[in-house]
């Protein structure tokens, strides 16, 4: 390491730990301050001085330690290799973006024509090309609108279509999304009243018909995206409710635009609209594999009312989200879609190859069969056959704290790195992270 980079370091007397301002003059740290900001680099220096005072590192290694601990970017968010086998991991930010979407985000992050027609020089509809992309993929929708997330799409629908009025909803569809957020409470917070119909396990079309009246704003169908009710059950299809004289809004959750043969129980926007739903709401960062956003697709007059409501301004998405969404919809298969469709035999080959390489480096690693899941509020109970590299349990914590961080899962006293949620191009990074954790 480059020690002479601290020219004539003045030292903190007895302990010989370099002074902060002197350390910050180190060429590498000065360069990093230009890139990451002085505050970020100073924090790394202070932490390294602390470690030296505690005797964890020699006093003359402070600059090196500070350099080694610098974050990748000026943000506290660190890159993580998702080896949990959960494709949409909520705590890891759900869907990872495709390269196409990342490039679109990078371009849109500067000044961009999000609301400008460069041809005429006049103002133009915000996000028009992203909306056009959605409508091309879902021709059954007359119009589309994009908000902050799936919850925002529901809030907007309730605010606009049922102000002070009733939303008719089945007792079997009163869903808690996660982290204590409940769709019924979200809807009530808008001032709409919930008119519950049916029972937990059975709700028939007649239950809806009996509840619809003067006070009805709309009927809401919520996809039970994170649980299943089986046994003596009965539900009403959108098609059976479309003729009751009030709008039917279908919250499909996952954001599938068209049917996905591998997940036959997951609803999709095109099929719902074809069946008669007047509006569909969904998340962009679940099975669609795009950025966090909420999609509203359906009848033109309804979509326009939502998009023109004052609240729409508070829920609107930024230019980078629009760019990522469009690139996801138009671009190549998203990482989520690729992971979902990954061949189990190929995953096994990757696991064998990776484990073999690691054993060659002296790591106690072997390939095992594994079970992956969609996660993140999609396809509950669906098991995706997968393969993993099995390591001794202590690797789990060490890998989590490495750079890049690797998140595996601990099962039966072993740390499993499930490859279905790791893009094949990152196997080398994964091997490198394990080797670093072995040291
Ligand atoms: C995930 C989900 C939501 C909430 O969407 P967010 O994008 O997380 O706000 C709403 N409804 C259903 C059925 C969901 O699965």
């Amino acid at each position: 390491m480059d020690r002479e980079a601290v020219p004539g370091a003045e030292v903190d007397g007895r302990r010989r730990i370099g002074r902060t301002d002197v350390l910050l003059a180190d060429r590498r740290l000065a360069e990093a301050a230009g890139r990451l900001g002085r505050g970020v680099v100073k924090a790394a220096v202070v932490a390294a001085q602390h470690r030296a005072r505690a005797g964890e590192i020699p006093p003359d290694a402070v600059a090196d330690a500070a350099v080694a601990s610098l974050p990748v970017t000026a943000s506290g968010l660190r890159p993580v290799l998702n080896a949990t086998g959960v494709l949409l991991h909520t705590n890891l930010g759900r869907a990872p973006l495709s390269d196409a979407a990342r490039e679109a985000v990078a371009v849109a992050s500067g000044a961009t024509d999000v609301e400008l027609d460069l041809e005429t020089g006049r103002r133009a509809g915000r996000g028009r090309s992203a909306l056009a992309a959605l409508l091309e993929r879902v021709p059954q929708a007359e119009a589309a609108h994009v908000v902050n997330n799936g919850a925002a799409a529901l809030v907007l629908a309730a605010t606009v279509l049922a102000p002070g009025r009733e939303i008719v909803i089945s007792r079997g569809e009163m869903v808690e999304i996660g982290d204590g957020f409940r769709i019924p409470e979200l809807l009530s917070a808008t001032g709409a009243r919930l008119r519950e119909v049916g029972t937990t396990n059975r709700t028939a079309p007649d239950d809806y018909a009996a509840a619809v009246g003067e006070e009805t704003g709309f009927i809401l169908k919520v996809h039970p995206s994170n649980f299943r009710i089986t046994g003596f059950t009965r539900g009403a299809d959108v098609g059976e409710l479309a003729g009751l004289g009030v709008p039917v809004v279908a919250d499909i959750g996952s954001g599938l635009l068209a049917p996905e043969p591998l997940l036959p129980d997951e609803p999709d926007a095109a099929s719902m609209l074809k069946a008669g739903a007047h509006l569909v709401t969904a998340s962009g960062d679940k099975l669609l594999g795009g950025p966090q956003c909420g999609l509203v697709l359906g009848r033109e007059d309804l979509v326009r009312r939502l998009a023109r409501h004052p609240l729409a301004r508070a829920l609107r998405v930024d230019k980078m989200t629009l760019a990522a969404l469009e690139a996801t919809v138009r671009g190549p298969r998203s990482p989520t879609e690729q992971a979902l469709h990954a061949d189990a035999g190929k995953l096994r080959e990757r696991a064998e190859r990776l484990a073999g390489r690691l054993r060659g480096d002296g790591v106690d690693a072997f390939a095992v069969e594994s079970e992956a899941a969609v996660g993140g509020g999609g396809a509950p109970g669906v098991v995706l056959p997968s393969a993993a590299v099995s390591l001794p349990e202590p690797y789990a914590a060490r890998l989590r704290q490495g750079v890049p961080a690797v998140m595996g899962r601990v099962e039966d006293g072993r740390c499993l790195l499930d490859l279905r949620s790791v893009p094949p191009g990152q196997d080398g990074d994964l091997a490198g992270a394990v080797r670093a954790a072995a040291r």
Side-chain angles (χ1 to χ4, degrees), residues 2-12 15-33 38 41-53 57-67 70:
D2 189 357
R3 292 246 168 74
E4 48 116 70
V6 193
E10 283 181 48
V11 292
D12 169 355
R15 297 195 195 83
R16 296 184 299 111
I17 294 168
R19 265 173 31 201
T20 308
D21 54 344
V22 174
L23 287 159
L24 283 170
D26 176 299
R27 182 172 46 74
R28 299 161 301 168
L29 293 170
E31 179 275 322
R38 193 178 153 87
V41 176
K42 193 171 167 189
V45 167
V46 169
Q49 288 170 321
H50 227 80
R51 292 178 60 198
R53 266 180 224 117
I57 54 173
D60 63 353
V62 172
D64 288 349
V67 168
L70 285 172

Side-chain angles (χ1 to χ4, degrees), residues 140-144 273 277-280 296-303:
Q140 294 80 0
E142 295 169 4
L273 291 169
H278 303 106
L279 277 187
V280 165
V296 181
L297 295 158
R299 224 169 70 187
E300 178 149 28
D301 59 324
L302 299 177
V303 173

Side-chain angles (χ1 to χ4, degrees), residues 151-190:
L154 282 171
V155 163
L156 192 56
T159 304
V160 177
L161 304 179
R165 302 173 68 204
E166 289 180 355
I167 299 171
V168 179
I169 181 172
S170 162
R171 291 198 170 88
E173 298 179 3
M174 311 279 278
V175 178
E176 175 170 320
I177 314 167
D179 198 22
F181 286 98
R182 296 170 168 174
I183 287 179
E185 293 172 359
L186 190 76
L187 297 169
S188 302
T190 70

